[in-house]
Amino acid sequence: MKQSPQKRIEELRDLIREYDYNYFVLNQPSISDYEYDRLFNELVRLEKENPQFISPDSPTQRVGSDLTKEFKPVTHKTPMLSLSNTYSENELYEFDRRVKEGLPNNEKVEYVCELKIDGLSISLKYLNGKLNVAATRGDGSVGEEVTNNVKTIRTVPLNIRKHPTAKLKLNEFEVRGEVYMESEPFKKLNEDRELNGEKVFANPRNSAAGTLKLQDPQIVAKRPLQVFLYNFLSDSAEIKSQTENLSLLNDLGFRINKNFKLCKTIDEVINYCREWEDKRDKLPYEIDGVVIKVNSLKQQKILGNIAKSPRWAVAYKFKAKQAVTKLHTITWQVGRTGTLTPVAELEPVFLAGSTISRATLHNIDEIKRKDIREGDTVIIEKGGDVIPKVVSVDLSKRSEDSRETKLPAKCPVCGSKLFKPEDEVAVYCENNLCPAQVKGRISHFAARGAMDIEGLGEALINLFVDLEFIHNYADIYSLKERREELIQIERLGEKSVDNLLLSIETSKQRPFDKVLFALGIRYVGSGAAKKLADHFESISALAKAGETEIEAIHEIGSSISQSVSRFFSDEHNKKIIERLKKAGLKFEIEKKHKRSNTLEGKSFVLTGTLSTMSRDEAKEKVIENGGTVLSAVSKNTSYVVAGEKPGSKFDKAQKLNVPILSEEEFLKMIE
Ligand code: IVH
């Protein structure tokens, strides 16, 4: 007799789940790719023919097509704690002493050591064996819902593999762990991004965090996210220890990190830490330390928590990762203001998630102080996501032909004369038209906090300047007249040229203060630009103002005022501004951007999707009109502005009798 489609669908799902588990969690494929695809396609077909049987936990439903417009808040039933850090063996002895003091006399303590995965914590809630909600840690009490993105991670079971045993009632439980990216796939992802002119991620952790917050699960599915789970929480399961906790997770089909160890003494713990600090480079993923947990859950309960971290656990953090490499030469980079910065050109080494081939040396004084010479063997360090630096020289390896560095006699890029202001360590290239300065100014102009021209990164700017498509930032807005020529450039295609031209057009909407910042007037950072824009309201008023008038503004000093005057008295700058005006950039505060105090003293909470503006635009509108925006509703909130599909903030506002405004009503208020 022929099987019913429903039965076959269920059978296929069970089979595929089992094969997925073998392949992704155990790393032991149990059928051929061909056979797997055949079964998967059969399931896709049957679900298409019988859509009434599609369920969210089907293996076909991992990658959704809906965009996540808003990451909804999720309140953690049990707060997600963080750990206090220790950095030395002595501190671990102290931790052991504190634990023992906190327990009844002479109770034996065992510790579980686990690797501290360098990713971000995640909470997965399961209802009746099915993944229901995945959330980030957030501030520990409230995180953000990222279910659609987490579903794409193949090692996260959508439906737990083994069904609840008689002893365990598992209709509702939560598991916690770490989402991360392995080092090799991360490297590859970054290489691809670089090739495509996209911004590279500083490290695997940032990359994992950024990926989890993408709106499109189809893109997330292509990124190499991974998980390790380490905590099982349930009211009904009787678990006595962390080791039982880990083995239960394992039995239920969750991916756990098998390198944990049960230690009977703190000395064993210390040995584990030493061992892994040495071996960390051999792992295919990044760890930044060891997590030490009291094994007995009964003892954990007695010890309890202090503020936001438990007394029963601690993190042992490894020292910043260092690497030894050869410094080939010292080159001088010329910035947009002409500053020369020495850069160490290194033999490439892989360190903390990325390949390092350059490190900054700050200035000539620093080079002298550390006695760094070309040809030296140097120790470099990278802590977290900071730019790598040269820590010291391994003098035992210094060879006779190592060479001291001197300040160059002229600009290494254009050959112009250099000058050194008396009160500064830095030296500058005098030539305003030096290609390095030109490229630097254009880069600054197009950057995110300035004109925010997506796709116009450093590589493309170098190319455009070298091919003489642009000589200054005003030329960016004439690029559209040369579309045909641009398409002919080998590395660009029609689509990427059109995307670029579109983002150039879009940038014309940037408000006056961002345009002012983008101009790159020395000492005028984004904060000063905002103050100047708010005060003078237009570029003509600013250009006319005298130094004293500018300095009268709170927190604007003489270096800014002098620099502004100098900028506006330069004929070349005047011409460029005229061209930018013609192109349609905003050189005055828009009427609606002009400050009002209609909303003064009023606080707003935004929820749901608004139809005429983004959240950020709404936020700006509130601030421009003198109000404040808060993230959570309380009885002191003046108004909640609710768009479509409002979240829990809407319910809370109703409960607390906070007035709820529609988008229209809100806009009327500030008309
Ligand atoms: S246990 C109260 N175990 O490190 C227990 N955390 O500040 C808290 N982490 O937020 C977590 N690997 O994101 C635990 N094996 C591990 C871990 C781990 C990485 C992260 C986690 C947590 C942070 C501690």
Side-chain angles (χ1 to χ4, degrees), residues 30-61:
S30 49
I31 53 164
S32 69
D33 289 357
Y34 173 79
E35 188 63 9
Y36 180 91
D37 290 345
R38 199 179 60 80
L39 294 171
F40 198 91
N41 291 336
E42 185 186 346
L43 179 60
V44 171
R45 181 178 54 79
L46 284 175
E47 286 182 348
K48 212 169 169 186
E49 288 166 7
N50 305 276
Q52 71 276 25
F53 298 136
I54 295 185
S55 84
D57 64 319
S58 168
T60 59
Q61 304 299 306

mmCIF file of all heavy atoms in Angstrom, residues 30-61:
data_model
loop_
_atom_site.group_PDB
_atom_site.id
_atom_site.type_symbol
_atom_site.label_atom_id
_atom_site.label_comp_id
_atom_site.label_asym_id
_atom_site.label_seq_id
_atom_site.Cartn_x
_atom_site.Cartn_y
_atom_site.Cartn_z
ATOM 1 N N SER A 30 26.744 10.094 7.205
ATOM 2 C CA SER A 30 26.327 8.695 7.162
ATOM 3 C C SER A 30 25.700 8.290 5.828
ATOM 4 O O SER A 30 25.384 7.131 5.624
ATOM 5 C CB SER A 30 25.373 8.396 8.318
ATOM 6 O OG SER A 30 24.377 9.385 8.361
ATOM 7 N N ILE A 31 25.493 9.246 4.931
ATOM 8 C CA ILE A 31 25.088 8.877 3.563
ATOM 9 C C ILE A 31 25.802 9.783 2.565
ATOM 10 O O ILE A 31 26.371 10.801 2.958
ATOM 11 C CB ILE A 31 23.554 8.979 3.289
ATOM 12 C CG1 ILE A 31 23.046 10.376 3.677
ATOM 13 C CG2 ILE A 31 22.788 7.870 3.910
ATOM 14 C CD1 ILE A 31 21.688 10.653 3.070
ATOM 15 N N SER A 32 25.684 9.433 1.291
ATOM 16 C CA SER A 32 26.365 10.248 0.282
ATOM 17 C C SER A 32 25.591 11.550 0.065
ATOM 18 O O SER A 32 24.390 11.619 0.342
ATOM 19 C CB SER A 32 26.423 9.486 -1.045
ATOM 20 O OG SER A 32 25.114 9.386 -1.568
ATOM 21 N N ASP A 33 26.283 12.575 -0.424
ATOM 22 C CA ASP A 33 25.630 13.854 -0.703
ATOM 23 C C ASP A 33 24.503 13.649 -1.701
ATOM 24 O O ASP A 33 23.438 14.249 -1.600
ATOM 25 C CB ASP A 33 26.631 14.846 -1.326
ATOM 26 C CG ASP A 33 27.650 15.306 -0.311
ATOM 27 O OD1 ASP A 33 27.533 14.890 0.864
ATOM 28 O OD2 ASP A 33 28.570 16.064 -0.697
ATOM 29 N N TYR A 34 24.764 12.759 -2.666
ATOM 30 C CA TYR A 34 23.775 12.510 -3.709
ATOM 31 C C TYR A 34 22.473 11.997 -3.103
ATOM 32 O O TYR A 34 21.380 12.501 -3.373
ATOM 33 C CB TYR A 34 24.362 11.507 -4.715
ATOM 34 C CG TYR A 34 23.364 11.053 -5.733
ATOM 35 C CD1 TYR A 34 23.049 11.868 -6.816
ATOM 36 C CD2 TYR A 34 22.717 9.820 -5.605
ATOM 37 C CE1 TYR A 34 22.106 11.472 -7.749
ATOM 38 C CE2 TYR A 34 21.775 9.415 -6.524
ATOM 39 C CZ TYR A 34 21.466 10.238 -7.604
ATOM 40 O OH TYR A 34 20.540 9.851 -8.511
ATOM 41 N N GLU A 35 22.623 10.983 -2.243
ATOM 42 C CA GLU A 35 21.453 10.373 -1.619
ATOM 43 C C GLU A 35 20.717 11.401 -0.733
ATOM 44 O O GLU A 35 19.490 11.475 -0.716
ATOM 45 C CB GLU A 35 21.907 9.156 -0.789
ATOM 46 C CG GLU A 35 20.799 8.299 -0.242
ATOM 47 C CD GLU A 35 19.950 7.636 -1.324
ATOM 48 O OE1 GLU A 35 20.307 7.696 -2.539
ATOM 49 O OE2 GLU A 35 18.910 7.092 -0.959
ATOM 50 N N TYR A 36 21.520 12.190 -0.010
ATOM 51 C CA TYR A 36 20.946 13.205 0.876
ATOM 52 C C TYR A 36 20.102 14.192 0.060
ATOM 53 O O TYR A 36 18.962 14.484 0.388
ATOM 54 C CB TYR A 36 22.069 13.942 1.619
ATOM 55 C CG TYR A 36 21.574 15.024 2.568
ATOM 56 C CD1 TYR A 36 21.310 14.735 3.911
ATOM 57 C CD2 TYR A 36 21.366 16.336 2.116
ATOM 58 C CE1 TYR A 36 20.850 15.714 4.780
ATOM 59 C CE2 TYR A 36 20.894 17.319 2.976
ATOM 60 C CZ TYR A 36 20.647 17.010 4.300
ATOM 61 O OH TYR A 36 20.179 17.990 5.156
ATOM 62 N N ASP A 37 20.689 14.689 -1.031
ATOM 63 C CA ASP A 37 19.972 15.658 -1.861
ATOM 64 C C ASP A 37 18.680 15.074 -2.412
ATOM 65 O O ASP A 37 17.667 15.749 -2.519
ATOM 66 C CB ASP A 37 20.853 16.120 -3.035
ATOM 67 C CG ASP A 37 21.991 16.988 -2.549
ATOM 68 O OD1 ASP A 37 21.931 17.443 -1.388
ATOM 69 O OD2 ASP A 37 22.965 17.178 -3.312
ATOM 70 N N ARG A 38 18.745 13.793 -2.754
ATOM 71 C CA ARG A 38 17.569 13.144 -3.321
ATOM 72 C C ARG A 38 16.424 13.159 -2.296
ATOM 73 O O ARG A 38 15.292 13.526 -2.591
ATOM 74 C CB ARG A 38 17.920 11.710 -3.719
ATOM 75 C CG ARG A 38 16.960 11.088 -4.720
ATOM 76 C CD ARG A 38 17.371 9.668 -5.085
ATOM 77 N NE ARG A 38 17.400 8.772 -3.936
ATOM 78 C CZ ARG A 38 16.328 8.198 -3.400
ATOM 79 N NH1 ARG A 38 15.150 8.422 -3.908
ATOM 80 N NH2 ARG A 38 16.450 7.396 -2.360
ATOM 81 N N LEU A 39 16.745 12.785 -1.057
ATOM 82 C CA LEU A 39 15.719 12.751 -0.014
ATOM 83 C C LEU A 39 15.221 14.166 0.306
ATOM 84 O O LEU A 39 14.023 14.399 0.483
ATOM 85 C CB LEU A 39 16.278 12.105 1.263
ATOM 86 C CG LEU A 39 16.637 10.632 1.128
ATOM 87 C CD1 LEU A 39 17.373 10.136 2.369
ATOM 88 C CD2 LEU A 39 15.373 9.801 0.901
ATOM 89 N N PHE A 40 16.172 15.110 0.350
ATOM 90 C CA PHE A 40 15.802 16.493 0.675
ATOM 91 C C PHE A 40 14.857 17.046 -0.389
ATOM 92 O O PHE A 40 13.835 17.655 -0.083
ATOM 93 C CB PHE A 40 17.069 17.352 0.788
ATOM 94 C CG PHE A 40 16.849 18.649 1.512
ATOM 95 C CD1 PHE A 40 17.032 18.750 2.883
ATOM 96 C CD2 PHE A 40 16.436 19.791 0.813
ATOM 97 C CE1 PHE A 40 16.814 19.947 3.561
ATOM 98 C CE2 PHE A 40 16.207 20.990 1.486
ATOM 99 C CZ PHE A 40 16.404 21.069 2.857
ATOM 100 N N ASN A 41 15.196 16.780 -1.642
ATOM 101 C CA ASN A 41 14.345 17.283 -2.726
ATOM 102 C C ASN A 41 12.966 16.635 -2.724
ATOM 103 O O ASN A 41 11.968 17.266 -3.053
ATOM 104 C CB ASN A 41 15.024 17.078 -4.081
ATOM 105 C CG ASN A 41 16.230 17.991 -4.209
ATOM 106 O OD1 ASN A 41 16.293 19.022 -3.541
ATOM 107 N ND2 ASN A 41 17.203 17.606 -5.026
ATOM 108 N N GLU A 42 12.948 15.376 -2.330
ATOM 109 C CA GLU A 42 11.647 14.697 -2.242
ATOM 110 C C GLU A 42 10.789 15.386 -1.178
ATOM 111 O O GLU A 42 9.600 15.639 -1.380
ATOM 112 C CB GLU A 42 11.846 13.216 -1.880
ATOM 113 C CG GLU A 42 10.527 12.457 -1.901
ATOM 114 C CD GLU A 42 10.653 11.019 -1.403
ATOM 115 O OE1 GLU A 42 11.776 10.509 -1.282
ATOM 116 O OE2 GLU A 42 9.588 10.430 -1.109
ATOM 117 N N LEU A 43 11.426 15.742 -0.055
ATOM 118 C CA LEU A 43 10.693 16.426 1.016
ATOM 119 C C LEU A 43 10.190 17.791 0.531
ATOM 120 O O LEU A 43 9.025 18.152 0.748
ATOM 121 C CB LEU A 43 11.595 16.582 2.246
ATOM 122 C CG LEU A 43 10.975 17.311 3.439
ATOM 123 C CD1 LEU A 43 9.730 16.593 3.953
ATOM 124 C CD2 LEU A 43 11.990 17.448 4.586
ATOM 125 N N VAL A 44 11.071 18.526 -0.169
ATOM 126 C CA VAL A 44 10.670 19.846 -0.687
ATOM 127 C C VAL A 44 9.444 19.690 -1.590
ATOM 128 O O VAL A 44 8.462 20.425 -1.482
ATOM 129 C CB VAL A 44 11.830 20.514 -1.462
ATOM 130 C CG1 VAL A 44 11.368 21.768 -2.183
ATOM 131 C CG2 VAL A 44 12.989 20.839 -0.522
ATOM 132 N N ARG A 45 9.497 18.655 -2.459
ATOM 133 C CA ARG A 45 8.402 18.456 -3.410
ATOM 134 C C ARG A 45 7.107 18.110 -2.678
ATOM 135 O O ARG A 45 6.055 18.704 -2.930
ATOM 136 C CB ARG A 45 8.780 17.347 -4.405
ATOM 137 C CG ARG A 45 7.714 17.075 -5.452
ATOM 138 C CD ARG A 45 8.148 15.998 -6.440
ATOM 139 N NE ARG A 45 8.572 14.748 -5.825
ATOM 140 C CZ ARG A 45 7.742 13.814 -5.352
ATOM 141 N NH1 ARG A 45 6.454 13.996 -5.430
ATOM 142 N NH2 ARG A 45 8.225 12.709 -4.811
ATOM 143 N N LEU A 46 7.201 17.175 -1.729
ATOM 144 C CA LEU A 46 5.992 16.761 -1.018
ATOM 145 C C LEU A 46 5.371 17.904 -0.212
ATOM 146 O O LEU A 46 4.152 18.032 -0.126
ATOM 147 C CB LEU A 46 6.307 15.592 -0.076
ATOM 148 C CG LEU A 46 6.469 14.235 -0.756
ATOM 149 C CD1 LEU A 46 6.896 13.181 0.248
ATOM 150 C CD2 LEU A 46 5.155 13.823 -1.427
ATOM 151 N N GLU A 47 6.246 18.745 0.351
ATOM 152 C CA GLU A 47 5.704 19.873 1.127
ATOM 153 C C GLU A 47 5.044 20.893 0.204
ATOM 154 O O GLU A 47 4.073 21.539 0.560
ATOM 155 C CB GLU A 47 6.809 20.541 1.958
ATOM 156 C CG GLU A 47 7.212 19.699 3.164
ATOM 157 C CD GLU A 47 8.277 20.361 4.035
ATOM 158 O OE1 GLU A 47 8.865 21.363 3.596
ATOM 159 O OE2 GLU A 47 8.520 19.861 5.141
ATOM 160 N N LYS A 48 5.603 21.011 -0.999
ATOM 161 C CA LYS A 48 5.035 21.944 -1.966
ATOM 162 C C LYS A 48 3.650 21.454 -2.389
ATOM 163 O O LYS A 48 2.700 22.221 -2.511
ATOM 164 C CB LYS A 48 5.954 22.033 -3.177
ATOM 165 C CG LYS A 48 5.946 23.385 -3.827
ATOM 166 C CD LYS A 48 7.072 23.462 -4.822
ATOM 167 C CE LYS A 48 6.979 24.665 -5.695
ATOM 168 N NZ LYS A 48 8.010 24.612 -6.729
ATOM 169 N N GLU A 49 3.567 20.133 -2.584
ATOM 170 C CA GLU A 49 2.285 19.570 -3.008
ATOM 171 C C GLU A 49 1.264 19.528 -1.876
ATOM 172 O O GLU A 49 0.070 19.497 -2.104
ATOM 173 C CB GLU A 49 2.513 18.138 -3.535
ATOM 174 C CG GLU A 49 3.216 18.121 -4.891
ATOM 175 C CD GLU A 49 3.752 16.736 -5.239
ATOM 176 O OE1 GLU A 49 3.462 15.764 -4.501
ATOM 177 O OE2 GLU A 49 4.473 16.632 -6.240
ATOM 178 N N ASN A 50 1.775 19.490 -0.642
ATOM 179 C CA ASN A 50 0.868 19.396 0.513
ATOM 180 C C ASN A 50 1.205 20.473 1.540
ATOM 181 O O ASN A 50 1.670 20.186 2.641
ATOM 182 C CB ASN A 50 1.019 18.021 1.198
ATOM 183 C CG ASN A 50 0.807 16.889 0.216
ATOM 184 O OD1 ASN A 50 -0.326 16.498 -0.048
ATOM 185 N ND2 ASN A 50 1.903 16.386 -0.341
ATOM 186 N N PRO A 51 0.998 21.744 1.148
ATOM 187 C CA PRO A 51 1.473 22.835 2.015
ATOM 188 C C PRO A 51 0.859 22.797 3.422
ATOM 189 O O PRO A 51 1.416 23.378 4.346
ATOM 190 C CB PRO A 51 1.061 24.102 1.269
ATOM 191 C CG PRO A 51 0.116 23.674 0.219
ATOM 192 C CD PRO A 51 0.325 22.228 -0.066
ATOM 193 N N GLN A 52 -0.262 22.117 3.567
ATOM 194 C CA GLN A 52 -0.876 22.065 4.904
ATOM 195 C C GLN A 52 0.010 21.361 5.916
ATOM 196 O O GLN A 52 -0.163 21.504 7.115
ATOM 197 C CB GLN A 52 -2.282 21.426 4.840
ATOM 198 C CG GLN A 52 -2.312 19.928 4.558
ATOM 199 C CD GLN A 52 -2.237 19.577 3.060
ATOM 200 O OE1 GLN A 52 -1.720 20.334 2.236
ATOM 201 N NE2 GLN A 52 -2.743 18.406 2.690
ATOM 202 N N PHE A 53 0.996 20.594 5.427
ATOM 203 C CA PHE A 53 1.861 19.862 6.363
ATOM 204 C C PHE A 53 3.184 20.581 6.654
ATOM 205 O O PHE A 53 4.026 20.077 7.380
ATOM 206 C CB PHE A 53 2.173 18.453 5.819
ATOM 207 C CG PHE A 53 0.935 17.600 5.657
ATOM 208 C CD1 PHE A 53 0.742 16.833 4.515
ATOM 209 C CD2 PHE A 53 -0.038 17.584 6.650
ATOM 210 C CE1 PHE A 53 -0.403 16.061 4.358
ATOM 211 C CE2 PHE A 53 -1.183 16.819 6.500
ATOM 212 C CZ PHE A 53 -1.373 16.062 5.354
ATOM 213 N N ILE A 54 3.384 21.749 6.047
ATOM 214 C CA ILE A 54 4.648 22.461 6.315
ATOM 215 C C ILE A 54 4.653 22.888 7.776
ATOM 216 O O ILE A 54 3.665 23.398 8.289
ATOM 217 C CB ILE A 54 4.790 23.705 5.418
ATOM 218 C CG1 ILE A 54 4.898 23.259 3.962
ATOM 219 C CG2 ILE A 54 6.021 24.537 5.803
ATOM 220 C CD1 ILE A 54 5.153 24.363 2.975
ATOM 221 N N SER A 55 5.753 22.628 8.477
ATOM 222 C CA SER A 55 5.836 23.119 9.854
ATOM 223 C C SER A 55 7.199 23.778 10.052
ATOM 224 O O SER A 55 8.178 23.424 9.389
ATOM 225 C CB SER A 55 5.592 21.976 10.838
ATOM 226 O OG SER A 55 6.786 21.282 11.046
ATOM 227 N N PRO A 56 7.256 24.770 10.966
ATOM 228 C CA PRO A 56 8.475 25.573 11.086
ATOM 229 C C PRO A 56 9.714 24.769 11.477
ATOM 230 O O PRO A 56 10.838 25.231 11.289
ATOM 231 C CB PRO A 56 8.151 26.594 12.179
ATOM 232 C CG PRO A 56 6.803 26.276 12.691
ATOM 233 C CD PRO A 56 6.191 25.210 11.862
ATOM 234 N N ASP A 57 9.515 23.568 12.015
ATOM 235 C CA ASP A 57 10.690 22.798 12.420
ATOM 236 C C ASP A 57 11.133 21.817 11.335
ATOM 237 O O ASP A 57 12.017 21.004 11.542
ATOM 238 C CB ASP A 57 10.417 22.052 13.727
ATOM 239 C CG ASP A 57 9.319 21.012 13.566
ATOM 240 O OD1 ASP A 57 8.320 21.318 12.880
ATOM 241 O OD2 ASP A 57 9.465 19.901 14.097
ATOM 242 N N SER A 58 10.529 21.897 10.145
ATOM 243 C CA SER A 58 10.967 21.014 9.065
ATOM 244 C C SER A 58 12.367 21.443 8.602
ATOM 245 O O SER A 58 12.664 22.633 8.552
ATOM 246 C CB SER A 58 9.996 21.113 7.886
ATOM 247 O OG SER A 58 10.570 20.490 6.754
ATOM 248 N N PRO A 59 13.230 20.468 8.251
ATOM 249 C CA PRO A 59 14.578 20.822 7.778
ATOM 250 C C PRO A 59 14.553 21.759 6.559
ATOM 251 O O PRO A 59 15.530 22.426 6.264
ATOM 252 C CB PRO A 59 15.197 19.481 7.389
ATOM 253 C CG PRO A 59 14.371 18.442 8.050
ATOM 254 C CD PRO A 59 13.014 19.024 8.318
ATOM 255 N N THR A 60 13.416 21.828 5.864
ATOM 256 C CA THR A 60 13.333 22.718 4.695
ATOM 257 C C THR A 60 13.116 24.170 5.109
ATOM 258 O O THR A 60 13.177 25.069 4.278
ATOM 259 C CB THR A 60 12.151 22.335 3.786
ATOM 260 O OG1 THR A 60 10.967 22.429 4.592
ATOM 261 C CG2 THR A 60 12.286 20.947 3.216
ATOM 262 N N GLN A 61 12.796 24.372 6.380
ATOM 263 C CA GLN A 61 12.407 25.719 6.814
ATOM 264 C C GLN A 61 13.523 26.464 7.548
ATOM 265 O O GLN A 61 13.257 27.377 8.314
ATOM 266 C CB GLN A 61 11.165 25.641 7.732
ATOM 267 C CG GLN A 61 9.987 24.947 7.108
ATOM 268 C CD GLN A 61 9.505 25.657 5.860
ATOM 269 O OE1 GLN A 61 9.215 26.851 5.886
ATOM 270 N NE2 GLN A 61 9.440 24.938 4.754
#
